[in-house]
Amino acid sequence: MEHILTVTGLNTCYGRSHILFDVGFDVPRGETVCLMGRNGVGKTTTFRSLMGLTPPKSGRIALKGRQCAGLPSYRMARAGLGFVPEDRRIFGPFTVLENLEFGVIPGRQGIWNLDTVLAQFPILKNFTNRNGSTLSGGEQQMLTIARALMGNPEVLILDEPTEGLSPVIVGELKDLVIRLKEAGTTILLAEQHLKFAMAVADRVVLLDKGHVVHRADIATFREEKEIQRKYLAV
Ligand SMILES: Nc1ncnc2c1ncn2[C@@H]1O[C@H](COP(=O)(O)OP(=O)(O)OP(=O)(O)O)[C@@H](O)[C@H]1O
Ligand SMILES: [Mg+2]
């Protein structure tokens, strides 16, 4: 099995607060790995560490075998980490089309372009000329994911994409993630929505107070009710 991303021994602090303790996990090519854990356990901090937004004090980040811990975020993006943060920020005064074009990263090539991306997002296809600010929350979430795909990432990183969305939109998001998996996309996800995670993930990594406390494939995790109760809000 080829690991497209291997993270080892991440230690990250905000000022004097030590938040991540030796966090490590592997992301196999073409799979979806889900970081899970309650509020404040360090899911976003893990992603910020990977992206160089909050650089880790120590640890290794190997993307396709290349060490990239310590690189600034634009270089992590160029190396192939496509990050969709939890605040799903779009460029409101710009059209859907312009927002998508902002996602292109010069030098990165792959299967994703305007046509192939829009084919995955029927919801966006009908209003490419509308301003981003006029979209609903669910549409904005779709747009941020579509924009990240335009950069042809090696790993698409989604931070709690279901947060605050209606059940109908969560269902659409689930279908989308499954289609992206079928297209071969490697995904690293943070999620508290257990049902959504179970539907899309191949593996889970459980975090608690900044430590990885459990790793399992999804079939095993599905049966681990005691662990789910202990570490998740179920
Ligand atoms: N900018 C910051 N400065 C100081 N502490 C922070 C900062 N951002 C987060 N923290 C703290 O770091 C810890 C981990 O937060 P983080 O946002 O990574 O958790 P999370 O698992 O993503 O939570 P949530 O599910 O609520 O998004 C928390 O204790 C949080 O209070
Ligand atoms: Mg978070």
Side-chain angles (χ1 to χ4, degrees):
M1 192 190 303
E2 185 204 352
H3 291 144
I4 206 154
L5 177 67
T6 296
V7 179
T8 354
L10 278 192
N11 282 277
T12 302
C13 305
Y14 291 116
R16 287 196 189 158
S17 315
H18 193 161
I19 304 292
L20 297 185
F21 299 85
D22 288 325
V23 165
F25 52 87
D26 296 314
V27 181
R29 181 187 284 279
E31 293 203 355
T32 295
V33 174
C34 185
L35 291 190
M36 298 193 80
R38 293 198 169 92
N39 290 115
V41 295
K43 302 180 296 295
T44 298
T45 306
T46 301
F47 292 165
R48 292 185 57 85
S49 303
L50 295 181
M51 294 311 298
L53 294 166
T54 304
K57 293 280 181 258
S58 63
R60 295 166 74 79
I61 299 165
L63 183 57
K64 289 176 93 182
R66 198 176 136 231
Q67 278 306 320
C68 28
L71 294 182
S73 55
Y74 77 93
R75 288 194 56 196
M76 295 307 286
R78 252 199 242 155
L81 294 185
F83 182 38
V84 179
E86 57 193 339
D87 61 7
R88 65 182 74 134
R89 199 166 302 155
I90 55 148
F91 303 108
F94 295 92
T95 66
V96 167
L97 194 63
E98 286 164 333
N99 268 275
L100 291 173
E101 282 161 355
F102 291 140
V104 172
I105 300 176
R108 290 209 59 81
Q109 271 145 17
I111 62 168
W112 301 114
N113 55 47
L114 206 49
D115 290 336
T116 56
V117 167
L118 282 175
Q120 294 289 346
F121 295 84
I123 205 174
L124 298 178
K125 213 173 170 170
N126 300 324
F127 35 72
T128 46
N129 290 321
R130 257 174 67 181
N131 266 15
S133 56
T134 68
L135 304 183
S136 70
E139 289 157 356
Q140 292 191 2
Q141 180 63 288
M142 295 294 183
L143 180 55
T144 54
I145 297 172
R147 188 175 61 200
L149 283 177
M150 291 292 289
N152 277 291
E154 302 289 345
V155 183
L156 178 66
I157 301 178
L158 306 176
D159 195 355
E160 300 212 45
T162 65
E163 205 186 1
L165 300 183
S166 72
V168 173
I169 307 289
V170 170
E172 284 174 16
L173 200 57
K174 184 189 79 186
D175 296 341
L176 169 74
V177 171
I178 290 170
R179 287 197 304 275
L180 296 183
K181 282 168 64 116
E182 283 164 2
T185 314
T186 307
I187 300 171
L188 175 59
L189 181 73
E191 202 38 82
Q192 297 198 57
H193 192 307
L194 187 61
K195 235 175 112 189
F196 181 84
M198 295 277 203
V200 301
D202 299 293
R203 295 160 197 284
V204 296
V205 174
L206 281 189
L207 287 175
D208 191 38
K209 299 186 189 109
H211 297 263
V212 173
V213 287
H214 190 60
R215 297 180 183 86
D217 62 76
I218 199 72
T220 306
F221 182 65
R222 213 169 258 135
E223 306 306 320
E224 295 178 315
K225 305 286 184 206
E226 200 45 51
I227 288 177
Q228 292 173 23
R229 262 192 295 274
K230 188 164 175 196
Y231 295 113
L232 304 173
V234 292

